[in-house]
Amino acid sequence: MTEAGERRRGTASAPRRGRMVRGAQDAARCAAEGLVQLVSHRLEGVSSVCRSEDDGWLVNVDVLELARIPDTTSLLATYEVELDSAGELLQYRRIARYRRGAQD
């Protein structure tokens, strides 16, 4: 057993596995970081975060797919990212592609 104020060995640098996502902000960060590494596009923001039926997360992440001049004609995309309860990326798919200046 450890004394108060001591850390157990391995807990400070433990891998992400086994750790639950603490909330919507944590889920958004995990999804954005994971997607940007996979698709190699610049992150623009997160447009929605919600719990999935299996205690995971569904996150919509917006990225810049094609920069143009003027910036209002740049192409953006929204990806739906599915995370498990530990924040591991399970799957993603592009659900929309649009010009920055386009109306909803």
Side-chain angles (χ1 to χ4, degrees):
M1 201 155 148
T2 60
E3 295 292 325
E6 287 184 10
R7 288 189 188 161
R8 289 185 178 179
R9 256 184 184 195
T11 57
S13 62
R16 188 157 184 82
R17 297 191 205 299
R19 184 182 150 252
M20 300 292 283
V21 172
R22 290 177 288 185
Q25 186 175 6
D26 200 18
R29 183 187 49 76
C30 290
E33 289 173 359
L35 180 69
V36 167
Q37 289 177 3
L38 290 172
V39 298
S40 300
H41 294 305
R42 190 180 88 197
L43 175 68
E44 288 289 314
V46 172
S47 52
S48 78
V49 179
C50 65
R51 295 293 294 217
S52 64
E53 293 178 7
D54 59 353
D55 288 331
W57 295 88
L58 289 175
V59 182
N60 286 352
V61 179
D62 302 315
V63 298
L64 175 66
E65 286 203 334
L66 182 61
R68 291 185 176 162
I69 298 174
D71 191 48
T72 55
T73 62
S74 293
L75 292 178
L76 302 169
T78 300
Y79 286 82
E80 181 180 75
V81 179
E82 184 179 347
L83 304 175
D84 65 12
S85 60
E88 296 293 323
L89 195 147
L90 299 175
Q91 63 181 351
Y92 72 93
R93 66 187 179 107
R94 185 171 63 191
I95 58 174
R97 194 171 192 206
Y98 54 94
R99 278 192 341 267
R100 185 184 299 275
Q103 295 182 24
D104 284 349

